[in-house]
Amino acid sequence: IQIVSASTNPDNAALRQQILTDPQATTTAVDGASRLIQTQFDELIGELKKPIWQRKTIKTLDDNSLAGKLAVMLTIASGNAVTDRFGQDQAMVQLLGVQAAIRKFRWENEKLPDSLAELKLGNMGVDPFSGKELLYKRIDDRSFELSSVGPMDRDDEGHETGKRRQLMLKP
Protein backbone atom coordinates (compact mmCIF):
# COMPACT_ATOMS: atom_id res chain seq x y z
CA ILE A 1 0.00 0.00 0.00
CA GLN A 2 1.22 3.48 -0.76
CA ILE A 3 -0.41 6.47 0.88
CA VAL A 4 0.13 9.76 -0.86
CA SER A 5 -0.63 12.91 1.04
CA ALA A 6 -0.34 16.47 -0.21
CA SER A 7 0.17 17.50 3.38
CA THR A 8 3.56 17.60 5.03
CA ASN A 9 1.87 17.11 8.38
CA PRO A 10 4.17 15.00 10.61
CA ASP A 11 1.12 13.11 11.90
CA ASN A 12 0.39 11.94 8.35
CA ALA A 13 4.00 10.79 7.91
CA ALA A 14 3.82 8.84 11.17
CA LEU A 15 0.51 7.31 10.13
CA ARG A 16 1.99 6.33 6.76
CA GLN A 17 4.94 4.65 8.46
CA GLN A 18 2.68 2.82 10.89
CA ILE A 19 0.54 1.46 8.05
CA LEU A 20 3.57 0.40 6.00
CA THR A 21 5.13 -1.57 8.87
CA ASP A 22 2.04 -3.59 9.84
CA PRO A 23 -0.08 -4.87 6.90
CA GLN A 24 -2.61 -6.62 9.18
CA ALA A 25 -3.15 -3.39 11.09
CA THR A 26 -3.67 -1.70 7.73
CA THR A 27 -6.59 -3.95 6.84
CA THR A 28 -8.16 -3.45 10.25
CA ALA A 29 -7.57 0.32 10.06
CA VAL A 30 -9.11 0.61 6.60
CA ASP A 31 -12.21 -1.29 7.74
CA GLY A 32 -12.47 0.87 10.87
CA ALA A 33 -11.90 4.07 8.91
CA SER A 34 -14.61 3.04 6.47
CA ARG A 35 -17.09 2.59 9.33
CA LEU A 36 -16.13 5.93 10.92
CA ILE A 37 -16.45 7.77 7.60
CA GLN A 38 -19.81 6.09 6.90
CA THR A 39 -21.08 7.13 10.33
CA GLN A 40 -19.98 10.71 9.72
CA PHE A 41 -21.62 10.79 6.28
CA ASP A 42 -24.83 9.29 7.70
CA GLU A 43 -24.87 12.12 10.25
CA LEU A 44 -24.25 14.65 7.47
CA ILE A 45 -27.08 13.23 5.36
CA GLY A 46 -29.40 13.41 8.36
CA GLU A 47 -28.51 17.07 8.86
CA LEU A 48 -29.00 17.82 5.15
CA LYS A 49 -32.63 16.74 5.46
CA LYS A 50 -33.26 19.63 7.86
CA PRO A 51 -33.66 23.31 6.95
CA ILE A 52 -30.27 25.03 7.13
CA TRP A 53 -31.12 27.07 10.23
CA GLN A 54 -31.93 23.86 12.14
CA ARG A 55 -28.74 21.98 11.24
CA LYS A 56 -26.11 21.19 13.82
CA THR A 57 -22.40 21.43 13.15
CA ILE A 58 -20.94 18.07 12.21
CA LYS A 59 -18.11 17.42 14.62
CA THR A 60 -14.76 16.37 13.23
CA LEU A 61 -13.63 12.87 14.05
CA ASP A 62 -11.86 12.71 17.40
CA ASP A 63 -10.42 9.21 17.37
CA ASN A 64 -6.70 8.67 17.90
CA SER A 65 -6.77 5.04 16.81
CA LEU A 66 -5.10 4.06 13.55
CA ALA A 67 -8.56 3.81 11.95
CA GLY A 68 -9.51 7.25 13.28
CA LYS A 69 -6.33 8.87 12.01
CA LEU A 70 -6.80 7.23 8.62
CA ALA A 71 -10.44 8.37 8.47
CA VAL A 72 -9.43 11.96 9.23
CA MET A 73 -6.75 11.79 6.54
CA LEU A 74 -9.19 10.38 3.97
CA THR A 75 -11.99 12.80 4.74
CA ILE A 76 -10.99 15.57 2.37
CA ALA A 77 -13.88 18.03 2.53
CA SER A 78 -15.62 19.20 5.64
CA GLY A 79 -19.33 18.43 5.58
CA ASN A 80 -19.93 21.76 7.29
CA ALA A 81 -18.15 23.66 4.52
CA VAL A 82 -20.22 21.84 1.91
CA THR A 83 -23.53 22.64 3.59
CA ASP A 84 -22.47 26.24 4.25
CA ARG A 85 -21.61 26.68 0.57
CA PHE A 86 -24.89 25.11 -0.55
CA GLY A 87 -26.77 27.43 1.82
CA GLN A 88 -24.88 30.44 0.48
CA ASP A 89 -25.80 29.53 -3.08
CA GLN A 90 -29.42 28.96 -2.08
CA ALA A 91 -29.56 32.30 -0.29
CA MET A 92 -28.05 34.14 -3.28
CA VAL A 93 -30.64 32.59 -5.63
CA GLN A 94 -33.40 33.64 -3.25
CA LEU A 95 -31.95 37.15 -2.96
CA LEU A 96 -31.95 37.44 -6.76
CA GLY A 97 -35.56 36.23 -6.93
CA VAL A 98 -36.64 38.68 -4.23
CA GLN A 99 -34.78 41.50 -5.95
CA ALA A 100 -36.69 40.71 -9.16
CA ALA A 101 -39.99 40.72 -7.22
CA ILE A 102 -39.11 44.10 -5.66
CA ARG A 103 -38.28 45.57 -9.05
CA LYS A 104 -41.53 44.20 -10.52
CA PHE A 105 -43.46 45.74 -7.62
CA ARG A 106 -41.70 49.07 -8.19
CA TRP A 107 -42.48 48.92 -11.93
CA GLU A 108 -46.17 48.19 -11.31
CA ASN A 109 -46.71 50.53 -8.33
CA GLU A 110 -44.15 53.28 -8.96
CA LYS A 111 -42.78 52.82 -5.46
CA LEU A 112 -40.84 50.28 -3.43
CA PRO A 113 -42.71 47.97 -1.06
CA ASP A 114 -42.67 48.96 2.59
CA SER A 115 -41.83 45.38 3.55
CA LEU A 116 -41.26 42.02 1.90
CA ALA A 117 -44.62 40.87 3.28
CA GLU A 118 -46.32 43.06 0.63
CA LEU A 119 -44.78 40.86 -2.05
CA LYS A 120 -46.29 37.59 -0.73
CA LEU A 121 -43.10 35.65 -1.51
CA GLY A 122 -43.74 32.52 0.53
CA ASN A 123 -40.60 30.45 1.11
CA MET A 124 -38.57 32.53 -1.33
CA GLY A 125 -38.57 35.34 1.24
CA VAL A 126 -37.33 33.11 4.07
CA ASP A 127 -33.63 33.37 4.92
CA PRO A 128 -32.22 29.83 4.75
CA PHE A 129 -29.79 30.64 7.57
CA SER A 130 -32.28 32.02 10.10
CA GLY A 131 -35.70 30.70 9.10
CA LYS A 132 -36.93 34.31 9.29
CA GLU A 133 -37.70 36.83 6.58
CA LEU A 134 -34.74 38.04 4.51
CA LEU A 135 -33.47 41.45 5.62
CA TYR A 136 -34.97 44.30 3.56
CA LYS A 137 -34.38 47.99 4.09
CA ARG A 138 -35.65 50.86 1.94
CA ILE A 139 -32.96 53.50 1.55
CA ASP A 140 -35.05 56.00 -0.39
CA ASP A 141 -37.84 55.96 -3.01
CA ARG A 142 -35.71 54.08 -5.56
CA SER A 143 -33.06 52.11 -3.65
CA PHE A 144 -32.99 49.37 -1.05
CA GLU A 145 -30.74 46.86 0.68
CA LEU A 146 -31.47 43.15 0.66
CA SER A 147 -29.49 40.57 2.62
CA SER A 148 -29.32 37.24 4.42
CA VAL A 149 -27.77 36.80 7.85
CA GLY A 150 -25.47 34.30 6.10
CA PRO A 151 -23.62 31.24 7.34
CA MET A 152 -21.71 31.00 10.58
CA ASP A 153 -18.09 32.03 10.24
CA ARG A 154 -15.66 29.17 10.89
CA ASP A 155 -12.03 29.04 11.93
CA ASP A 156 -9.36 27.08 10.04
CA GLU A 157 -10.41 23.86 11.78
CA GLY A 158 -14.08 24.28 10.85
CA HIS A 159 -15.34 25.35 14.30
CA GLU A 160 -17.98 28.08 14.48
CA THR A 161 -16.64 31.44 15.69
CA GLY A 162 -20.04 32.76 16.84
CA LYS A 163 -20.09 35.39 14.08
CA ARG A 164 -21.98 35.33 10.78
CA ARG A 165 -20.87 36.17 7.26
CA GLN A 166 -23.74 38.32 6.00
CA LEU A 167 -24.69 37.92 2.34
CA MET A 168 -25.80 41.12 0.67
CA LEU A 169 -27.14 41.64 -2.80
CA LYS A 170 -26.07 44.98 -4.25
CA PRO A 171 -28.80 46.08 -6.69
Side-chain angles (χ1 to χ4, degrees):
I1 245 179
Q2 181 177 3
I3 295 178
V4 179
S5 173
S7 171
T8 57
N9 183 334
D11 290 340
N12 289 352
L15 176 61
R16 181 181 187 275
Q17 186 59 39
Q18 188 176 359
I19 289 171
L20 290 173
T21 57
D22 188 352
Q24 182 57 40
T26 301
T27 301
T28 304
V30 168
D31 291 343
S34 176
R35 283 190 298 277
L36 289 169
I37 292 168
Q38 185 62 52
T39 299
Q40 192 170 35
F41 280 120
D42 288 346
E43 183 181 353
L44 176 61
I45 289 168
E47 291 300 312
L48 288 172
K49 292 178 181 178
K50 300 175 186 176
I52 294 169
W53 69 87
Q54 292 179 353
R55 294 179 189 163
K56 297 176 191 159
T57 296
I58 306 296
K59 295 189 176 18
T60 55
L61 291 172
D62 187 23
D63 184 332
N64 286 323
S65 68
L66 183 58
K69 290 176 184 177
L70 183 59
V72 167
M73 194 169 130
L74 293 173
T75 306
I76 297 168
S78 164
N80 298 314
V82 171
T83 59
D84 286 353
R85 182 56 200 217
F86 176 80
Q88 268 184 263
D89 290 347
Q90 179 182 342
M92 289 306 293
V93 168
Q94 286 180 234
L95 288 168
L96 286 169
V98 172
Q99 180 187 39
I102 292 169
R103 289 175 183 250
K104 179 180 182 235
F105 183 94
R106 185 175 71 192
W107 177 265
E108 293 172 349
N109 299 286
E110 297 181 11
K111 69 174 190 133
L112 289 172
D114 293 322
S115 71
L116 293 182
E118 282 184 69
L119 302 175
K120 298 178 180 145
L121 298 166
N123 287 336
M124 185 169 57
V126 176
D127 188 331
F129 291 103
S130 69
K132 299 177 182 167
E133 192 173 81
L134 289 165
L135 305 172
Y136 168 73
K137 179 182 172 188
R138 283 180 49 175
I139 305 298
D140 56 38
D141 291 340
R142 308 242 352 121
S143 59
F144 60 93
E145 289 179 355
L146 185 61
S147 64
S148 160
V149 295
M152 293 299 291
D153 192 33
R154 297 184 188 279
D155 63 20
D156 292 339
E157 295 177 7
H159 302 107
E160 292 181 356
T161 65
K163 298 177 184 174
R164 291 202 173 266
R165 290 179 289 144
Q166 185 179 34
L167 304 173
M168 183 171 279
L169 189 62
K170 307 256 181 179

